[in-house]
Amino acid sequence: AQSVTQLGSHVSVSEGALVLLRCNYSSSVPPYLFWYVQYPNQGLQLLLKYTTGATLVKGINGFEAEFKKSETSFHLTKPSAHMSDAAEYFCAVSRYGNNRLAFGKGNQVVVIP
Amino acid sequence: DTAVSQTPKYLVTQMGNDKSIKCEQNLGHDTMYWYKQDSKKFLKIMFSYNNKELIINETVPNRFSPKSPDKAHLNLHINSLELGDSAVYFCASSHQDRLYYNEQFFGPGTRLTVL
């Protein structure tokens, strides 16, 4: 079974500073990895995904993530935080032949002016 | 154009009542899901249907009954509502074909409050 670990439920970052959200996964087969963002009172929106190929993936709103198989990680970064980045971020893992998305517990990002 | 829509957006009701939440997707997907998000934002899969067939049925009370009249619709009916049912319920959809890697598209959510 797949699982995801996201440490630190609340993450505070200064406007203009680096955003770094950590995600580690567990999967016995090659994973499909996703980052979703949830703005207040809204549904989940896909930020980016890794399925195959290039391990550095770019998403919307300036976010990117790098798949590191040796570290079983898929950390999300953005070089410069903006006030509009304040939201809940979820890492999720799936695999071929399985409909399930296993979600992490989420990180609430607070951007400090 | 709304891809995955849910109605209602907010639902406030008394304990013991029966209520339904509706979900529709216009993406042409063949698989739909219901998730429950609790007050700590944790997302838990409840059910999944593929072409109207139930394929995921997690351990949820049997007061919860999903119904899929066609592959574009998945409704959730809840009997005898309890305080602990208060949560945000999300509908999602995806292609089951492996070329789509199980990327799921989410609706805006239905906030259920049981008084």
Side-chain angles (χ1 to χ4, degrees):
Chain A
Q2 308 108 272
S3 65
V4 168
T5 301
Q6 290 180 251
L7 296 178
S9 60
H10 287 76
V11 176
S12 293
V13 59
S14 296
E15 191 176 15
L18 171 72
V19 179
L20 170 61
L21 302 180
R22 299 179 187 274
C23 172
N24 288 88
Y25 68 90
S26 170
S27 178
S28 58
V29 297
Y32 305 144
L33 294 158
F34 306 84
W35 275 100
Y36 283 87
V37 60
Q38 183 181 20
Y39 297 106
N41 298 314
Q42 294 188 28
L44 278 72
Q45 178 183 1
L46 184 69
L47 267 180
L48 48 79
K49 66 186 179 200
Y50 169 78
T51 53
T52 59
T55 56
L56 181 63
V57 293
K58 295 185 184 300
I60 61 172
N61 301 339
F63 284 92
E64 63 181 37
E66 186 170 12
F67 169 60
K68 292 187 177 181
K69 184 179 177 181
S70 61
E71 299 176 8
T72 61
S73 69
F74 191 56
H75 302 332
L76 181 72
T77 60
K78 180 174 180 178
S80 176
H82 192 271
M83 296 300 293
S84 61
D85 295 325
E88 191 85 20
Y89 292 80
F90 294 94
C91 184
V93 63
S94 182
R95 64 172 176 83
Y96 169 63
N98 190 324
N99 287 87
R100 294 172 184 272
L101 264 184
F103 282 91
K105 292 187 175 181
N107 293 121
Q108 184 175 7
V109 171
V110 175
V111 182
I112 303 166
Chain B
D1 286 341
T2 304
V4 182
S5 59
Q6 295 179 229
T7 54
K9 188 166 175 63
Y10 299 97
L11 188 52
V12 181
T13 188
Q14 299 285 333
M15 268 175 45
N17 284 350
D18 303 338
K19 290 293 178 185
S20 291
I21 307 171
K22 298 189 177 211
C23 178
E24 175 181 3
Q25 54 94 6
N26 62 6
L27 297 168
H29 290 163
D30 53 12
T31 306
M32 296 183 73
Y33 311 78
W34 278 113
Y35 287 87
K36 179 180 181 181
Q37 186 177 48
D38 63 22
S39 58
K40 295 185 178 179
K41 304 285 188 176
F42 184 63
L43 279 159
K44 181 182 174 184
I45 181 79
M46 299 174 70
F47 303 103
S48 177
Y49 272 76
N50 174 254
N51 285 320
K52 302 194 296 176
E53 180 184 347
L54 183 66
I55 57 172
I56 295 175
N57 186 1
E58 288 296 286
T59 308
V60 299
N62 57 15
R63 299 181 294 103
F64 290 78
S65 53
K67 279 193 173 54
S68 182
D70 56 61
K71 68 178 186 179
H73 296 84
L74 179 62
N75 303 324
L76 183 66
H77 188 76
I78 316 170
N79 290 325
S80 304
L81 278 155
E82 300 178 357
L83 293 177
D85 298 332
S86 295
V88 181
Y89 292 84
F90 286 102
C91 178
S93 70
S94 70
H95 279 296
Q96 191 173 31
D97 188 290
R98 67 188 181 103
L99 291 176
Y100 295 92
Y101 306 107
N102 197 25
E103 177 183 341
Q104 295 183 16
F105 293 75
F106 284 78
T110 296
R111 182 176 294 274
L112 172 64
T113 303
V114 183
L115 303 174

